Amino acid sequence: VDPQKKSEAVEKARKVLQLGHLVLVFIEGQVSLDPDRLQKGKTGAARLALLERVPVIPAAITRGPHLKGVRKTLRMLRRTHIKERLEFGPPMDFSSSFDRPITYELLQEVTRKIMLKLSEMTGKTYDY
């Protein structure tokens, strides 16, 4: 996602959801370099869920290597053939918020719920 064109990315994702397809959102925005903590969640997934009135299916990458840096991690994966694991949680229903005005506070609230679920799934702390 181009940081200068976030609204363009949201509109493309909305069209995909309107067609009945899934959209994968990396809610942290980038690869986390801290093996023990999740980064602060971005609000894009919450915005899409509320705008399109769809559930969020949390997905967490677990059992991955805990190296500092993306390049080191990729090199180590190629050499050792360690397999990461993608785990899915039950769909999260935010329908109780669908009729509320979409404010920054609501987006933060929904994002925090998603991040806390990911924290539970990964065993990493989330304290934002």
Side-chain angles (χ1 to χ4, degrees), residues 51-69:
L51 286 170
E52 294 305 318
R53 299 174 175 247
V54 295
V56 171
I57 301 170
I61 298 172
T62 59
R63 284 203 276 176
H66 298 295
L67 297 176
K68 298 278 186 199

Side-chain angles (χ1 to χ4, degrees):
V1 173
D2 182 343
Q4 305 304 318
K5 300 179 181 177
K6 290 179 187 176
S7 60
E8 202 174 281
V10 169
E11 287 309 311
K12 285 181 184 179
R14 287 185 73 185
K15 288 178 183 172
V16 170
L17 290 170
Q18 289 165 2
L19 292 171
H21 299 292
L22 299 175
V23 172
L24 176 65
V25 175
F26 290 94
I27 196 164
E28 290 179 277
Q30 61 187 8
V31 175
S32 177
L33 300 180
D34 189 334
D36 301 317
R37 280 181 79 215
L38 295 172
Q39 296 180 85
K40 185 174 182 184
K42 309 289 186 194
T43 60
R47 183 179 304 277
L48 289 169
L50 296 173
L51 286 170
E52 294 305 318
R53 299 174 175 247
V54 295
V56 171
I57 301 170
I61 298 172
T62 59
R63 284 203 276 176
H66 298 295
L67 297 176
K68 298 278 186 199
V70 175
R71 286 192 179 125
K72 281 185 182 178
T73 300
L74 291 175
R75 269 185 269 155
M76 197 276 287
L77 284 173
R78 278 194 293 266
R79 278 192 231 129
T80 62
H81 305 288
I82 290 175
K83 300 289 185 203
E84 290 184 331
R85 181 179 169 130
L86 181 59
E87 295 182 20
F88 296 92
M92 299 178 73
D93 177 18
F94 296 107
S95 58
S96 62
S97 299
F98 288 166
D99 293 324
R100 292 171 56 188
I102 299 177
T103 62
Y104 184 71
E105 289 76 22
L106 178 59
L107 292 173
Q108 288 292 331
E109 177 185 322
V110 171
T111 299
R112 181 167 174 72
K113 288 177 183 177
I114 296 168
M115 293 304 296
L116 289 172
K117 181 62 179 175
L118 293 174
S119 172
E120 179 185 309
M121 292 170 68
T122 62
K124 294 182 177 187
T125 59
Y126 185 73
D127 52 10
Y128 292 94

